[in-house]
Amino acid sequence: MRRYSITPRPDWERVVSSQGLSYHSIEGRPYWDESAYWEFTSGEVDRLEAATAELQKMCLAAGDFILRHNRFAAMHIPEAAIPAIRGTWKDEPPALYGRMDLAYDGYAIKLLEYNADTPTSLIEAAIIQWYWLQDRFPKRDQWNSLHEKLVAKWRDLAKYVQPPLHFAHDGDEEDLLTISYLRDTAREAGIESAAIQMSEIGWDNDHECFVGNGTTPLATLFKLYPWETLLGEPFGMNALVNMASGNKPQKGRTQWIEPIWKMLWANKALLAILWEMYPDHELLLPAYLDSPRDMTRYVRKPLFGREGANISIVNGARSFATDGRFADGPWAYQGLAPVRCVDGNYAVLGSWLIDGEPAGLGVRESQDPVIRNTDRFVPHLF
Amino acid sequence: MRRSREIPTCVLLLAASGALLGCTEHRDCVDAYNHKQPDSYCNAGTHIGAHFLYAGRSGGQYGDTVVGGHSVSRGGFGHGGGGDGE
């Protein structure tokens, strides 16, 4: 795993904008950063792919473990959501994608967290870095089959969803563009779709069901919106009561993608449960829910934290912390990972899964050890 | 690792250019007594009994009673603060 500096394409802003990445810069600094790239060996890509598949198997086992041992309280999952989580875990309604964030220093691969519910940076990983490779290194390769796998997954799901498949977002530009790209992949699979803002989702008081912008019931709804946020809102209970059961659409009920069982994996408590199940596993870091125990080098993460918010790093006598809206916890404590750092650039790998299968890689860089939503996306090749 | 050379992204490009527009059926925002209110009253998600009536009838002024129609409440989601992907 090596980092190389390179001169960006002279018109890179225009190029990536024309490919759909309108948020290529944030506050005048590149978010899409092609002044560098990361090179992997094919052996390293094989290792990362195998590690992702292995971690996915472990997360499936962890889901069974949580249900069998009733660990919901430790994960701070609302009691009202438990029947729906159990039901969807058993019925396996449509689920699409996720992204594991991995630390890799060229030697050890460690799971940092699993963004299983609302992952973004998808356009950069699936499209923009692929076209960058064609422009700059057309004879090289990239770990990236995201687009094909998304289309293939929608084709599989076509008989399990009810068009028009609605894609909901909260109005943020990145989220709007992410669901727009996902709509393109569904469209390529022959599934008609529509977009809606979360705030525009309606509750039909006469028929007791969710509706779109007008009065058409929402049969299948993809939401780029966290389950834990959704459940705490005025319509949260309606979502639980009206949720479709089984794995096919049900008249008058809504089928949600990602399904509510993804709360088990998007929660940082998963890290402690995995460590309990697989102590000293080479792909895991020590993790606990009650305290850092005997760790002197560790990271404190909010169970429901997002985008690097409210992360505290304790490294012996040194410490580092980010701010955010999750300051009240609850927390998970995870051992400090060996993250690759070159010339002051810390790199975290986002390993994508479609339909539970490894599907591609995105590299994010930061000037400090915590990756936040505004930190740079840097292309890769092998 | 990818077979295709081109990735068709019509919806994405439309969204990136800001050209995606929605369309909705005619509706009136009303309070708990079916008196017409601005849409913001219903979208706030904080007014008890606020809802939209679809295909209802009224004089068109705020405060008018809207009769008939189909009752839909909105604004019950979307208070997460934005940027909820990760």
Side-chain angles (χ1 to χ4, degrees):
Chain A
M1 180 185 179
R2 291 186 175 195
R3 186 181 193 274
Y4 293 93
S5 294
I6 185 173
T7 303
R9 293 168 289 182
D11 56 346
W12 68 269
E13 292 105 324
R14 184 195 61 76
V15 170
V16 301
S17 289
S18 74
Q19 293 161 352
L21 192 72
S22 55
Y23 51 93
H24 54 67
S25 301
I26 297 173
E27 295 174 355
R29 289 177 298 138
Y31 160 68
W32 163 260
D33 185 358
E34 57 176 73
S35 69
Y37 67 91
W38 287 90
E39 181 186 57
F40 297 83
T41 66
S42 57
E44 285 175 322
V45 170
D46 289 345
R47 274 192 70 204
L48 289 164
E49 188 170 17
T52 303
E54 172 71 11
L55 286 164
Q56 176 74 2
K57 281 186 199 165
M58 292 158 65
C59 289
L60 284 165
D64 285 333
F65 180 92
I66 294 163
L67 268 58
R68 194 165 57 249
H69 296 281
N70 219 21
R71 291 297 182 87
F72 300 100
M75 301 181 83
H76 291 257
I77 290 175
E79 202 167 330
I82 296 172
I85 291 173
R86 288 187 179 279
T88 53
W89 181 263
K90 178 174 73 67
D91 293 338
E92 298 186 38
L96 184 67
Y97 73 155
R99 192 193 74 236
M100 290 178 182
D101 284 349
L102 305 176
Y104 179 51
D105 61 356
Y107 302 97
I109 300 170
K110 301 288 185 184
L111 175 67
L112 296 174
E113 60 187 54
Y114 194 173
N115 300 305
D117 188 18
T118 60
T120 52
S121 75
L122 178 64
I123 298 165
E124 305 86 299
I127 303 173
I128 308 301
Q129 68 170 348
W130 175 252
Y131 282 129
W132 169 86
L133 185 77
Q134 305 312 305
D135 271 359
R136 301 306 302 263
F137 301 97
K139 293 183 179 172
R140 302 295 297 275
D141 208 343
Q142 191 172 77
W143 182 20
N144 185 358
S145 56
L146 276 160
H147 186 81
E148 285 74 15
K149 284 194 164 70
L150 283 166
V151 174
K153 180 60 180 173
W154 286 125
R155 286 201 177 106
D156 287 348
L157 290 180
K159 56 182 176 289
Y160 298 101
V161 300
Q162 176 67 54
L165 176 52
H166 279 77
F167 286 79
H169 65 101
D170 69 355
D172 171 81
E173 183 186 18
E174 181 185 14
D175 292 1
L176 168 63
L177 294 178
T178 301
I179 62 117
S180 298
Y181 172 56
L182 287 171
R183 289 181 63 197
D184 273 315
T185 59
R187 181 172 172 268
E188 201 174 329
I191 298 174
E192 184 193 347
S193 72
I196 188 169
Q197 287 206 26
M198 288 299 296
S199 60
E200 267 294 309
I201 291 174
W203 176 254
D204 184 323
N205 298 296
D206 302 329
H207 299 103
E208 298 192 329
C209 64
F210 286 110
V211 293
N213 284 316
T215 54
T216 307
L218 293 176
T220 305
L221 179 65
F222 176 97
K223 48 106 203 125
L224 192 56
Y225 199 74
W227 270 110
E228 65 270 14
T229 305
L230 187 157
L231 291 178
E233 297 191 310
F235 284 172
M237 282 306 294
N238 301 28
L240 292 175
V241 170
N242 176 262
M243 191 176 292
S245 59
N247 61 8
K248 291 196 170 176
Q250 267 185 300
K251 188 173 170 54
R253 291 176 177 265
T254 297
Q255 180 187 48
W256 296 77
I257 305 174
E258 299 293 326
I260 193 170
W261 68 256
K262 286 288 188 97
M263 290 184 81
L264 304 178
W265 288 357
N267 186 315
K268 307 298 184 293
L270 173 73
L271 304 168
I273 288 165
L274 284 169
W275 185 251
E276 178 183 343
M277 293 175 67
Y278 303 98
D280 298 318
H281 192 286
E282 63 174 353
L283 298 174
L284 299 177
L285 294 156
Y288 309 103
L289 295 178
D290 54 351
S291 71
R293 300 195 185 176
D294 57 352
M295 295 188 292
T296 55
R297 300 171 69 244
Y298 64 90
V299 180
R300 189 186 73 167
K301 301 178 172 184
L303 295 191
F304 303 110
R306 287 172 182 271
E307 301 176 337
N310 302 102
I311 300 281
S312 298
I313 296 178
V314 175
N315 188 0
R318 290 178 294 162
S319 64
F320 174 87
T322 63
D323 57 10
R325 54 188 163 117
F326 304 100
D328 297 330
W331 310 101
Y333 302 85
Q334 185 184 42
L336 195 58
V339 175
R340 186 75 155 177
C341 182
V342 175
D343 298 332
N345 299 292
Y346 292 87
V348 167
L349 309 187
S351 182
W352 286 92
L353 298 104
I354 310 296
D355 194 19
E357 301 287 332
L361 179 70
V363 182
R364 300 287 296 277
E365 279 189 359
S366 174
Q367 300 301 120
D368 58 53
V370 178
I371 300 291
R372 278 157 287 201
N373 60 326
T374 54
D375 285 328
R376 292 165 284 124
F377 188 103
V378 179
H380 81 276
L381 55 73
F382 70 90
Chain B
M1 307 257 303
R2 186 195 295 284
R3 293 181 297 277
S4 63
R5 301 282 294 186
E6 296 298 326
I7 305 170
T9 53
C10 312
V11 182
L12 172 62
L13 296 181
L14 274 174
S17 68
L20 271 187
L21 296 173
C23 59
T24 57
E25 301 166 31
H26 169 74
R27 67 185 189 183
D28 295 292
C29 171
V30 295
D31 62 17
Y33 306 99
N34 284 3
H35 294 154
K36 186 173 170 62
Q37 303 291 334
D39 279 7
S40 57
Y41 185 86
C42 289
N43 290 332
T46 53
H47 297 289
I48 294 171
H51 59 285
F52 288 99
L53 285 174
Y54 285 77
R57 301 183 307 281
S58 77
Q61 304 298 313
Y62 294 138
D64 286 355
T65 298
V66 180
V67 295
H70 189 75
S71 168
V72 173
S73 301
R74 297 193 187 272
F77 289 135
H79 306 279
D84 292 292
E86 60 179 332

PDB file of all heavy atoms in Angstrom, chain A residues 302-331:
ATOM      1  N   PRO A 302     -19.197   7.112  20.028  1.00  0.00           N
ATOM      2  CA  PRO A 302     -20.627   7.021  20.369  1.00  0.00           C
ATOM      3  C   PRO A 302     -21.248   5.827  19.636  1.00  0.00           C
ATOM      4  O   PRO A 302     -20.941   5.592  18.461  1.00  0.00           O
ATOM      5  CB  PRO A 302     -21.218   8.332  19.840  1.00  0.00           C
ATOM      6  CG  PRO A 302     -20.060   9.196  19.463  1.00  0.00           C
ATOM      7  CD  PRO A 302     -18.890   8.304  19.232  1.00  0.00           C
ATOM      8  N   LEU A 303     -22.127   5.081  20.333  1.00  0.00           N
ATOM      9  CA  LEU A 303     -22.741   3.909  19.691  1.00  0.00           C
ATOM     10  C   LEU A 303     -23.457   4.293  18.406  1.00  0.00           C
ATOM     11  O   LEU A 303     -23.479   3.536  17.448  1.00  0.00           O
ATOM     12  CB  LEU A 303     -23.742   3.230  20.633  1.00  0.00           C
ATOM     13  CG  LEU A 303     -23.204   2.596  21.916  1.00  0.00           C
ATOM     14  CD1 LEU A 303     -24.289   1.746  22.572  1.00  0.00           C
ATOM     15  CD2 LEU A 303     -21.959   1.773  21.677  1.00  0.00           C
ATOM     16  N   PHE A 304     -24.081   5.478  18.401  1.00  0.00           N
ATOM     17  CA  PHE A 304     -24.850   5.900  17.225  1.00  0.00           C
ATOM     18  C   PHE A 304     -24.154   7.036  16.476  1.00  0.00           C
ATOM     19  O   PHE A 304     -24.784   7.760  15.709  1.00  0.00           O
ATOM     20  CB  PHE A 304     -26.262   6.340  17.640  1.00  0.00           C
ATOM     21  CG  PHE A 304     -27.013   5.265  18.364  1.00  0.00           C
ATOM     22  CD1 PHE A 304     -27.285   5.379  19.724  1.00  0.00           C
ATOM     23  CD2 PHE A 304     -27.434   4.131  17.695  1.00  0.00           C
ATOM     24  CE1 PHE A 304     -27.968   4.384  20.398  1.00  0.00           C
ATOM     25  CE2 PHE A 304     -28.116   3.124  18.357  1.00  0.00           C
ATOM     26  CZ  PHE A 304     -28.385   3.245  19.722  1.00  0.00           C
ATOM     27  N   GLY A 305     -22.862   7.197  16.704  1.00  0.00           N
ATOM     28  CA  GLY A 305     -22.122   8.303  16.100  1.00  0.00           C
ATOM     29  C   GLY A 305     -22.000   8.154  14.601  1.00  0.00           C
ATOM     30  O   GLY A 305     -22.065   7.043  14.059  1.00  0.00           O
ATOM     31  N   ARG A 306     -21.820   9.291  13.934  1.00  0.00           N
ATOM     32  CA  ARG A 306     -21.689   9.304  12.478  1.00  0.00           C
ATOM     33  C   ARG A 306     -20.629  10.307  12.081  1.00  0.00           C
ATOM     34  O   ARG A 306     -20.433  11.307  12.751  1.00  0.00           O
ATOM     35  CB  ARG A 306     -23.019   9.700  11.828  1.00  0.00           C
ATOM     36  CG  ARG A 306     -24.003   8.600  11.937  1.00  0.00           C
ATOM     37  CD  ARG A 306     -25.383   8.931  11.515  1.00  0.00           C
ATOM     38  NE  ARG A 306     -26.150   7.716  11.752  1.00  0.00           N
ATOM     39  CZ  ARG A 306     -26.296   6.745  10.879  1.00  0.00           C
ATOM     40  NH1 ARG A 306     -25.787   6.859   9.675  1.00  0.00           N
ATOM     41  NH2 ARG A 306     -26.961   5.650  11.182  1.00  0.00           N
ATOM     42  N   GLU A 307     -19.986  10.004  10.964  1.00  0.00           N
ATOM     43  CA  GLU A 307     -19.094  10.951  10.306  1.00  0.00           C
ATOM     44  C   GLU A 307     -18.000  11.467  11.230  1.00  0.00           C
ATOM     45  O   GLU A 307     -17.662  12.651  11.214  1.00  0.00           O
ATOM     46  CB  GLU A 307     -19.913  12.106   9.727  1.00  0.00           C
ATOM     47  CG  GLU A 307     -20.944  11.612   8.717  1.00  0.00           C
ATOM     48  CD  GLU A 307     -21.852  12.704   8.194  1.00  0.00           C
ATOM     49  OE1 GLU A 307     -21.998  13.724   8.888  1.00  0.00           O
ATOM     50  OE2 GLU A 307     -22.400  12.524   7.113  1.00  0.00           O
ATOM     51  N   GLY A 308     -17.495  10.597  12.078  1.00  0.00           N
ATOM     52  CA  GLY A 308     -16.371  10.961  12.932  1.00  0.00           C
ATOM     53  C   GLY A 308     -16.713  11.898  14.071  1.00  0.00           C
ATOM     54  O   GLY A 308     -15.814  12.459  14.712  1.00  0.00           O
ATOM     55  N   ALA A 309     -18.003  12.056  14.360  1.00  0.00           N
ATOM     56  CA  ALA A 309     -18.402  12.989  15.423  1.00  0.00           C
ATOM     57  C   ALA A 309     -18.134  12.402  16.804  1.00  0.00           C
ATOM     58  O   ALA A 309     -18.324  11.207  17.021  1.00  0.00           O
ATOM     59  CB  ALA A 309     -19.881  13.325  15.288  1.00  0.00           C
ATOM     60  N   ASN A 310     -17.692  13.252  17.714  1.00  0.00           N
ATOM     61  CA  ASN A 310     -17.518  12.919  19.132  1.00  0.00           C
ATOM     62  C   ASN A 310     -16.622  11.705  19.362  1.00  0.00           C
ATOM     63  O   ASN A 310     -16.881  10.885  20.242  1.00  0.00           O
ATOM     64  CB  ASN A 310     -18.882  12.713  19.799  1.00  0.00           C
ATOM     65  CG  ASN A 310     -19.761  13.933  19.684  1.00  0.00           C
ATOM     66  OD1 ASN A 310     -20.668  13.958  18.855  1.00  0.00           O
ATOM     67  ND2 ASN A 310     -19.473  14.958  20.476  1.00  0.00           N
ATOM     68  N   ILE A 311     -15.581  11.596  18.553  1.00  0.00           N
ATOM     69  CA  ILE A 311     -14.589  10.534  18.738  1.00  0.00           C
ATOM     70  C   ILE A 311     -13.484  11.071  19.637  1.00  0.00           C
ATOM     71  O   ILE A 311     -12.994  12.180  19.428  1.00  0.00           O
ATOM     72  CB  ILE A 311     -13.969  10.132  17.373  1.00  0.00           C
ATOM     73  CG1 ILE A 311     -15.037   9.627  16.408  1.00  0.00           C
ATOM     74  CG2 ILE A 311     -12.836   9.137  17.561  1.00  0.00           C
ATOM     75  CD1 ILE A 311     -15.486   8.228  16.609  1.00  0.00           C
ATOM     76  N   SER A 312     -13.112  10.278  20.632  1.00  0.00           N
ATOM     77  CA  SER A 312     -11.966  10.637  21.479  1.00  0.00           C
ATOM     78  C   SER A 312     -10.898   9.562  21.329  1.00  0.00           C
ATOM     79  O   SER A 312     -11.205   8.374  21.419  1.00  0.00           O
ATOM     80  CB  SER A 312     -12.375  10.718  22.951  1.00  0.00           C
ATOM     81  OG  SER A 312     -13.342  11.712  23.134  1.00  0.00           O
ATOM     82  N   ILE A 313      -9.674  10.008  21.116  1.00  0.00           N
ATOM     83  CA  ILE A 313      -8.561   9.069  21.010  1.00  0.00           C
ATOM     84  C   ILE A 313      -7.640   9.282  22.197  1.00  0.00           C
ATOM     85  O   ILE A 313      -7.227  10.405  22.471  1.00  0.00           O
ATOM     86  CB  ILE A 313      -7.772   9.291  19.697  1.00  0.00           C
ATOM     87  CG1 ILE A 313      -8.672   8.980  18.492  1.00  0.00           C
ATOM     88  CG2 ILE A 313      -6.516   8.424  19.669  1.00  0.00           C
ATOM     89  CD1 ILE A 313      -7.990   9.210  17.158  1.00  0.00           C
ATOM     90  N   VAL A 314      -7.372   8.208  22.896  1.00  0.00           N
ATOM     91  CA  VAL A 314      -6.408   8.255  23.998  1.00  0.00           C
ATOM     92  C   VAL A 314      -5.229   7.379  23.598  1.00  0.00           C
ATOM     93  O   VAL A 314      -5.395   6.188  23.323  1.00  0.00           O
ATOM     94  CB  VAL A 314      -7.040   7.753  25.316  1.00  0.00           C
ATOM     95  CG1 VAL A 314      -5.989   7.688  26.412  1.00  0.00           C
ATOM     96  CG2 VAL A 314      -8.196   8.652  25.723  1.00  0.00           C
ATOM     97  N   ASN A 315      -4.073   7.989  23.521  1.00  0.00           N
ATOM     98  CA  ASN A 315      -2.865   7.272  23.102  1.00  0.00           C
ATOM     99  C   ASN A 315      -1.796   7.517  24.151  1.00  0.00           C
ATOM    100  O   ASN A 315      -0.983   8.434  24.025  1.00  0.00           O
ATOM    101  CB  ASN A 315      -2.423   7.765  21.723  1.00  0.00           C
ATOM    102  CG  ASN A 315      -1.294   6.935  21.158  1.00  0.00           C
ATOM    103  OD1 ASN A 315      -0.832   5.989  21.791  1.00  0.00           O
ATOM    104  ND2 ASN A 315      -0.844   7.293  19.965  1.00  0.00           N
ATOM    105  N   GLY A 316      -1.869   6.721  25.205  1.00  0.00           N
ATOM    106  CA  GLY A 316      -0.974   6.948  26.329  1.00  0.00           C
ATOM    107  C   GLY A 316      -1.297   8.287  26.963  1.00  0.00           C
ATOM    108  O   GLY A 316      -2.432   8.554  27.335  1.00  0.00           O
ATOM    109  N   ALA A 317      -0.293   9.158  27.042  1.00  0.00           N
ATOM    110  CA  ALA A 317      -0.507  10.458  27.680  1.00  0.00           C
ATOM    111  C   ALA A 317      -1.150  11.459  26.726  1.00  0.00           C
ATOM    112  O   ALA A 317      -1.624  12.517  27.138  1.00  0.00           O
ATOM    113  CB  ALA A 317       0.830  11.008  28.173  1.00  0.00           C
ATOM    114  N   ARG A 318      -1.173  11.139  25.421  1.00  0.00           N
ATOM    115  CA  ARG A 318      -1.719  12.070  24.428  1.00  0.00           C
ATOM    116  C   ARG A 318      -3.189  11.782  24.186  1.00  0.00           C
ATOM    117  O   ARG A 318      -3.645  10.641  24.287  1.00  0.00           O
ATOM    118  CB  ARG A 318      -0.944  11.943  23.111  1.00  0.00           C
ATOM    119  CG  ARG A 318       0.474  12.470  23.184  1.00  0.00           C
ATOM    120  CD  ARG A 318       1.190  12.264  21.867  1.00  0.00           C
ATOM    121  NE  ARG A 318       1.370  10.838  21.591  1.00  0.00           N
ATOM    122  CZ  ARG A 318       1.646  10.338  20.402  1.00  0.00           C
ATOM    123  NH1 ARG A 318       1.742  11.129  19.353  1.00  0.00           N
ATOM    124  NH2 ARG A 318       1.815   9.041  20.234  1.00  0.00           N
ATOM    125  N   SER A 319      -3.942  12.801  23.813  1.00  0.00           N
ATOM    126  CA  SER A 319      -5.354  12.571  23.487  1.00  0.00           C
ATOM    127  C   SER A 319      -5.782  13.533  22.387  1.00  0.00           C
ATOM    128  O   SER A 319      -5.135  14.555  22.131  1.00  0.00           O
ATOM    129  CB  SER A 319      -6.225  12.730  24.730  1.00  0.00           C
ATOM    130  OG  SER A 319      -6.155  14.053  25.196  1.00  0.00           O
ATOM    131  N   PHE A 320      -6.867  13.161  21.737  1.00  0.00           N
ATOM    132  CA  PHE A 320      -7.400  13.936  20.607  1.00  0.00           C
ATOM    133  C   PHE A 320      -8.900  13.711  20.606  1.00  0.00           C
ATOM    134  O   PHE A 320      -9.372  12.606  20.882  1.00  0.00           O
ATOM    135  CB  PHE A 320      -6.774  13.434  19.298  1.00  0.00           C
ATOM    136  CG  PHE A 320      -7.354  14.064  18.063  1.00  0.00           C
ATOM    137  CD1 PHE A 320      -6.842  15.267  17.577  1.00  0.00           C
ATOM    138  CD2 PHE A 320      -8.413  13.472  17.387  1.00  0.00           C
ATOM    139  CE1 PHE A 320      -7.379  15.848  16.445  1.00  0.00           C
ATOM    140  CE2 PHE A 320      -8.957  14.049  16.251  1.00  0.00           C
ATOM    141  CZ  PHE A 320      -8.436  15.241  15.776  1.00  0.00           C
ATOM    142  N   ALA A 321      -9.682  14.747  20.297  1.00  0.00           N
ATOM    143  CA  ALA A 321     -11.137  14.570  20.313  1.00  0.00           C
ATOM    144  C   ALA A 321     -11.785  15.430  19.241  1.00  0.00           C
ATOM    145  O   ALA A 321     -11.267  16.499  18.889  1.00  0.00           O
ATOM    146  CB  ALA A 321     -11.701  14.933  21.684  1.00  0.00           C
ATOM    147  N   THR A 322     -12.896  14.935  18.708  1.00  0.00           N
ATOM    148  CA  THR A 322     -13.700  15.717  17.770  1.00  0.00           C
ATOM    149  C   THR A 322     -15.002  16.105  18.453  1.00  0.00           C
ATOM    150  O   THR A 322     -15.410  15.486  19.447  1.00  0.00           O
ATOM    151  CB  THR A 322     -14.020  14.907  16.502  1.00  0.00           C
ATOM    152  OG1 THR A 322     -14.807  13.759  16.871  1.00  0.00           O
ATOM    153  CG2 THR A 322     -12.752  14.441  15.805  1.00  0.00           C
ATOM    154  N   ASP A 323     -15.654  17.138  17.936  1.00  0.00           N
ATOM    155  CA  ASP A 323     -16.936  17.530  18.526  1.00  0.00           C
ATOM    156  C   ASP A 323     -18.076  16.957  17.680  1.00  0.00           C
ATOM    157  O   ASP A 323     -17.850  16.248  16.708  1.00  0.00           O
ATOM    158  CB  ASP A 323     -17.028  19.055  18.652  1.00  0.00           C
ATOM    159  CG  ASP A 323     -16.838  19.735  17.306  1.00  0.00           C
ATOM    160  OD1 ASP A 323     -16.823  19.022  16.281  1.00  0.00           O
ATOM    161  OD2 ASP A 323     -16.701  20.959  17.258  1.00  0.00           O
ATOM    162  N   GLY A 324     -19.299  17.297  18.067  1.00  0.00           N
ATOM    163  CA  GLY A 324     -20.445  16.787  17.324  1.00  0.00           C
ATOM    164  C   GLY A 324     -21.691  16.738  18.175  1.00  0.00           C
ATOM    165  O   GLY A 324     -21.727  17.291  19.278  1.00  0.00           O
ATOM    166  N   ARG A 325     -22.697  16.040  17.654  1.00  0.00           N
ATOM    167  CA  ARG A 325     -24.011  16.047  18.305  1.00  0.00           C
ATOM    168  C   ARG A 325     -24.289  14.775  19.106  1.00  0.00           C
ATOM    169  O   ARG A 325     -25.425  14.509  19.471  1.00  0.00           O
ATOM    170  CB  ARG A 325     -25.100  16.256  17.262  1.00  0.00           C
ATOM    171  CG  ARG A 325     -25.074  15.268  16.109  1.00  0.00           C
ATOM    172  CD  ARG A 325     -26.084  15.678  15.019  1.00  0.00           C
ATOM    173  NE  ARG A 325     -25.815  15.016  13.770  1.00  0.00           N
ATOM    174  CZ  ARG A 325     -26.647  14.171  13.165  1.00  0.00           C
ATOM    175  NH1 ARG A 325     -27.799  13.886  13.698  1.00  0.00           N
ATOM    176  NH2 ARG A 325     -26.322  13.620  12.011  1.00  0.00           N
ATOM    177  N   PHE A 326     -23.222  13.971  19.352  1.00  0.00           N
ATOM    178  CA  PHE A 326     -23.428  12.730  20.108  1.00  0.00           C
ATOM    179  C   PHE A 326     -22.659  12.764  21.426  1.00  0.00           C
ATOM    180  O   PHE A 326     -22.197  11.734  21.925  1.00  0.00           O
ATOM    181  CB  PHE A 326     -22.982  11.528  19.267  1.00  0.00           C
ATOM    182  CG  PHE A 326     -23.664  11.452  17.923  1.00  0.00           C
ATOM    183  CD1 PHE A 326     -23.015  11.886  16.773  1.00  0.00           C
ATOM    184  CD2 PHE A 326     -24.957  10.964  17.816  1.00  0.00           C
ATOM    185  CE1 PHE A 326     -23.635  11.828  15.541  1.00  0.00           C
ATOM    186  CE2 PHE A 326     -25.595  10.902  16.583  1.00  0.00           C
ATOM    187  CZ  PHE A 326     -24.939  11.338  15.436  1.00  0.00           C
ATOM    188  N   ALA A 327     -22.513  13.956  21.980  1.00  0.00           N
ATOM    189  CA  ALA A 327     -21.636  14.149  23.146  1.00  0.00           C
ATOM    190  C   ALA A 327     -22.115  13.398  24.379  1.00  0.00           C
ATOM    191  O   ALA A 327     -21.329  13.157  25.298  1.00  0.00           O
ATOM    192  CB  ALA A 327     -21.519  15.641  23.461  1.00  0.00           C
ATOM    193  N   ASP A 328     -23.386  13.024  24.402  1.00  0.00           N
ATOM    194  CA  ASP A 328     -23.908  12.349  25.591  1.00  0.00           C
ATOM    195  C   ASP A 328     -23.770  10.828  25.536  1.00  0.00           C
ATOM    196  O   ASP A 328     -24.265  10.124  26.413  1.00  0.00           O
ATOM    197  CB  ASP A 328     -25.387  12.716  25.786  1.00  0.00           C
ATOM    198  CG  ASP A 328     -25.553  14.208  26.049  1.00  0.00           C
ATOM    199  OD1 ASP A 328     -24.618  14.810  26.621  1.00  0.00           O
ATOM    200  OD2 ASP A 328     -26.602  14.768  25.680  1.00  0.00           O
ATOM    201  N   GLY A 329     -23.111  10.316  24.489  1.00  0.00           N
ATOM    202  CA  GLY A 329     -22.957   8.871  24.374  1.00  0.00           C
ATOM    203  C   GLY A 329     -24.272   8.210  24.011  1.00  0.00           C
ATOM    204  O   GLY A 329     -25.134   8.874  23.433  1.00  0.00           O
ATOM    205  N   PRO A 330     -24.475   6.937  24.340  1.00  0.00           N
ATOM    206  CA  PRO A 330     -23.583   5.986  25.011  1.00  0.00           C
ATOM    207  C   PRO A 330     -22.391   5.603  24.139  1.00  0.00           C
ATOM    208  O   PRO A 330     -22.370   5.912  22.957  1.00  0.00           O
ATOM    209  CB  PRO A 330     -24.504   4.779  25.269  1.00  0.00           C
ATOM    210  CG  PRO A 330     -25.534   4.863  24.189  1.00  0.00           C
ATOM    211  CD  PRO A 330     -25.748   6.321  23.930  1.00  0.00           C
ATOM    212  N   TRP A 331     -21.411   4.899  24.771  1.00  0.00           N
ATOM    213  CA  TRP A 331     -20.107   4.748  24.139  1.00  0.00           C
ATOM    214  C   TRP A 331     -19.682   3.297  23.939  1.00  0.00           C
ATOM    215  O   TRP A 331     -20.110   2.408  24.672  1.00  0.00           O
ATOM    216  CB  TRP A 331     -19.023   5.428  25.004  1.00  0.00           C
ATOM    217  CG  TRP A 331     -19.358   6.812  25.406  1.00  0.00           C
ATOM    218  CD1 TRP A 331     -19.843   7.217  26.623  1.00  0.00           C
ATOM    219  CD2 TRP A 331     -19.263   8.000  24.600  1.00  0.00           C
ATOM    220  NE1 TRP A 331     -20.038   8.579  26.624  1.00  0.00           N
ATOM    221  CE2 TRP A 331     -19.702   9.087  25.395  1.00  0.00           C
ATOM    222  CE3 TRP A 331     -18.852   8.238  23.300  1.00  0.00           C
ATOM    223  CZ2 TRP A 331     -19.734  10.394  24.927  1.00  0.00           C
ATOM    224  CZ3 TRP A 331     -18.888   9.547  22.827  1.00  0.00           C
ATOM    225  CH2 TRP A 331     -19.330  10.603  23.641  1.00  0.00           C
TER     226      TRP A 331
END
